């Protein structure tokens, strides 16, 4: 698709990526919030991420089946509608302050996002030359993470305005806090339904994908670069969610105030990383090199978390060790934009199934934070971040060799 013809679709998909970011990164604020009103342990609070991200694993292949039947454009509309249902479920969740109902609402939201992401990510990849796909996804990343910066700040402003300190909070205060969720999620549902109408009447074209260069391959699991890419994304999403959603809990252990807004720090560094991708890929930096440097920076920042102390050497607002958690956002920024085009190159008409497999990898956001929480429960949160070393090592392997493998037999 030419740049002229792709401009309007890019704008429309950009709106969707803003919604991805806003809904997804509210979780970082919901974790310490629900920990208070539902009286949860740190491990129990991390089931917020589990309920949301496990939907991607459970629903990805069913959603790929839906896409093959209804097309990418209709799939986006259906995904937005399911998300609206999930947002409306937050109203009875808040009224009852039921943690299980909150988790059910998050699962439905995640299911809608699964369909939306399964449709929109390959759409961005195929809107132009695949060699510059990481640049286009980086643009979407800036939009996505800008919403991620905004969401925690708005959440903190709306929910915690006129609230006493956590140390003196009463049961009546908890009821008031829960009730403040009703209006925002009701407005979110109305916005999502409005976007259904926008997509319906927009001139968004349907993707026309060519057949794979190797028509003898029937199963998506016969494409090593896709399978290994999914594994790399599993580790990436896991450490991305850990960096964004645990920073508040981690900072809380050092007595930092307004911890529900701290996800915004991680998102700011991610936006900076995406800006690097926009200006440097592919002119100065190949997609493969960008992925390699991302993994190396990730390892470096994990070591910074574990080895640094609680001094405020670099940034007055945060202890050094917490600042390095936020810096993981910079290391993570270009992993998603580079793995997708590397994994989808030459896939052609298998893109829907390949996208579904890549989307299932978002289960890393459900499972690895729970593993992080379990490690932290018998050691410390600071030591639990060492889990990220293994994540970045596999991403490094994919950048160096994994994306080049074309056959499991090494042919």
């Amino acid at each position: 698709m030419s740049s002229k013809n792709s401009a309007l679709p890019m704008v429309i998909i950009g709106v969707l990526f803003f919604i991805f970011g806003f809904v997804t990164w509210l979780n970082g604020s919901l974790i310490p919030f629900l920990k208070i009103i539902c009286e949860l342990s740190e491990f129990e609070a991390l089931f917020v991420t589990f309920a949301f991200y496990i939907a991607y694993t459970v629903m990805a292949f069913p959603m790929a089946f839906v896409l093959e039947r209804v097309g990418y454009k209709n799939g986006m509309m259906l995904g937005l509608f399911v998300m609206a249902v999930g947002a409306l479920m937050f109203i009875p969740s808040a009224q009852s302050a039921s943690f299980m109902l909150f988790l059910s609402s998050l699962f439905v939201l995640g299911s809608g996002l699964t369909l939306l992401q399964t449709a929109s990510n390959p759409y961005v990849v195929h809107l132009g030359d695949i060699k510059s796909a990481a640049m286009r996804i980086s643009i979407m990343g800036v939009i996505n993470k800008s919403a991620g910066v905004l969401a925690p700040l708005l959440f903190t402003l709306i929910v915690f305005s006129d609230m006493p300190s956590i140390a003196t909070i009463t049961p009546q205060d908890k009821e008031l806090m829960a009730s403040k969720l009703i209006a925002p999620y009701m407005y979110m549902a109305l916005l999502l339904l409005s976007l259904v109408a926008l997509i319906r009447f927009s001139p968004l074209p349907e993707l026309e994908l060519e057949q794979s260069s190797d028509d003898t391959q029937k199963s998506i699991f016969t494409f090593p670069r896709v399978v290994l890419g999914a594994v790399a994304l599993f580790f990436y999403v896991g450490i991305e969610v850990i960096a964004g959603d645990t920073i508040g809990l981690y900072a809380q252990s050092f007595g930092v105030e307004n911890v529900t807004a701290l996800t915004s720090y991680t998102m700011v560094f991610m936006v900076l990383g995406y800006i690097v991708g926009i200006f440097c890929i592919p002119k100065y930096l190949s997609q493969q090199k960008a992925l390699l440097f991302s993994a190396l920076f990730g390892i470096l920042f994990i070591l910074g978390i574990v080895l640094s102390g609680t001094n405020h050497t670099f940034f007055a607002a945060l202890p050094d060790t917490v600042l390095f958690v936020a810096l993981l956002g910079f290391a993570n920024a270009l992993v998603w934009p580079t793995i997708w085009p590397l994994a989808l190159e030459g896939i052609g008409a298998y893109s829907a199934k390949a996208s579904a497999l890549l989307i299932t990898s978002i289960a890393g956001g459900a499972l690895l934070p729970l593993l992080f929480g379990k490690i932290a429960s018998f050691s410390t949160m600071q030591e639990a971040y060492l889990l990220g070393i293994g994540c970045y090592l596999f991403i490094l392997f994919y950048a160096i060799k994994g994306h080049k493998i074309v056959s499991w037999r090494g042919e």
Side-chain angles (χ1 to χ4, degrees):
M1 191 177 293
S2 68
S3 59
K4 181 179 180 180
N5 293 333
S6 66
L8 182 58
M10 281 284 286
V11 171
I12 295 172
I13 300 299
V15 173
L16 298 183
F17 269 77
F18 185 87
I19 297 300
F20 297 167
F22 198 92
V23 173
T24 299
W25 296 109
L26 270 178
N27 291 337
S29 297
L30 276 174
I31 290 172
F33 172 78
L34 294 180
K35 183 176 183 289
I36 296 169
I37 68 169
C38 297
E39 299 179 357
L40 307 171
S41 68
E42 291 178 350
F43 178 69
E44 290 169 334
L46 287 171
F47 271 92
V48 168
T49 62
F50 179 83
F52 185 80
Y53 289 103
I54 201 64
Y56 286 93
T57 300
V58 175
M59 302 302 294
F61 278 103
M63 294 311 183
F65 177 81
V66 170
L67 278 183
E68 290 178 342
R69 295 297 181 275
V70 305
Y72 286 81
K73 182 176 179 179
N74 289 333
M76 292 176 194
M77 290 190 292
L78 182 57
L80 287 166
F81 180 79
V82 174
M83 288 178 66
V85 172
L88 289 173
M89 288 176 63
F90 268 80
I91 297 175
S93 302
Q95 290 171 334
S96 63
S98 168
F99 187 51
M100 290 305 298
L101 198 50
F102 274 119
L103 296 182
S104 299
S105 306
L106 286 162
F107 181 85
V108 175
L109 265 177
S111 298
L113 268 173
T114 301
L115 181 53
L116 204 55
Q117 291 230 43
T118 305
S120 60
N121 280 288
Y123 210 104
V124 176
V125 170
H126 292 290
L127 274 176
D129 184 358
I130 198 166
K131 298 296 184 185
S132 60
M135 180 269 291
R136 292 190 296 277
I137 300 177
S138 292
I139 293 174
M140 296 300 149
V142 170
I143 297 169
N144 180 278
K145 267 52 185 190
S146 295
V149 172
L150 181 63
L153 296 176
L154 283 178
F155 184 92
T156 301
L157 178 65
I158 294 170
V159 175
F160 283 94
S161 61
D162 303 323
M163 282 290 105
S165 67
I166 293 175
T168 60
I169 204 163
T170 67
Q172 291 73 26
D173 293 328
K174 293 178 183 178
E175 291 180 7
L176 178 59
M177 288 170 62
S179 67
K180 287 188 175 184
L181 285 180
I182 295 175
Y185 277 93
M186 182 176 66
Y187 291 137
M188 182 188 295
L190 292 174
L191 174 61
L192 291 167
L193 291 174
S194 300
L195 288 173
V196 173
L198 172 66
I199 300 296
R200 171 65 180 85
F201 296 107
S202 72
L204 197 65
E206 187 59 52
L207 280 184
E208 300 290 341
L209 299 176
E210 299 176 356
Q211 291 295 319
S212 167
S213 58
D214 184 356
D215 293 330
T216 64
Q217 300 190 73
K218 301 299 182 183
S219 169
I220 199 61
F221 293 98
T222 61
F223 293 93
R225 65 160 60 93
V226 178
V227 176
L228 295 174
V231 176
L233 284 177
F234 175 90
F235 288 117
Y236 154 70
V237 176
I239 192 60
E240 180 195 35
V241 172
I242 288 170
D245 286 0
T246 70
I247 187 172
L249 288 176
Y250 190 44
Q252 197 173 53
S253 67
F254 297 111
V256 177
E257 296 291 330
N258 297 323
V259 294
T260 56
L262 288 185
T263 297
S264 295
Y265 285 79
T266 307
M267 296 301 103
V268 166
F269 282 113
M270 289 199 81
V271 169
L272 292 175
Y274 282 125
I275 291 172
V276 171
I278 292 170
F279 287 101
C280 295
I281 299 175
K283 187 174 182 180
Y284 303 109
L285 195 63
S286 71
Q287 295 174 151
Q288 180 264 335
K289 288 286 180 61
L291 184 59
L292 186 149
F293 285 128
S294 295
L296 293 176
F297 274 121
I299 293 170
L300 180 65
F301 294 148
I302 290 289
L303 293 176
I305 295 170
V306 177
L307 299 178
S308 63
T310 59
N311 294 329
H312 295 246
T313 307
F314 303 105
F315 190 49
L318 294 177
D320 294 346
T321 182
V322 179
L323 176 61
F324 277 112
V325 177
L327 278 167
L328 288 176
F330 183 82
N332 291 335
L334 296 182
V335 178
W336 182 275
T338 51
I339 287 180
W340 273 83
L342 290 174
L344 292 184
E345 188 170 4
I347 299 301
Y350 288 92
S351 290
K353 288 187 175 67
S355 179
L357 182 60
L358 294 174
I359 288 295
T360 62
S361 66
I362 294 178
L367 301 176
L368 293 185
L370 285 182
L371 179 58
F372 173 91
K374 182 58 69 175
I375 295 171
S377 69
F378 60 76
S379 59
T380 66
M381 286 191 74
Q382 189 170 24
E383 292 174 350
Y385 282 105
L386 283 171
L387 178 64
I389 295 288
C391 298
Y392 289 118
L393 284 176
F394 191 89
I395 293 168
L396 184 63
F397 159 75
Y398 189 76
I400 295 172
K401 184 177 180 181
H403 75 283
K404 300 177 182 178
I405 302 174
V406 296
S407 170
W408 293 117
R409 295 187 296 268
E411 296 173 358

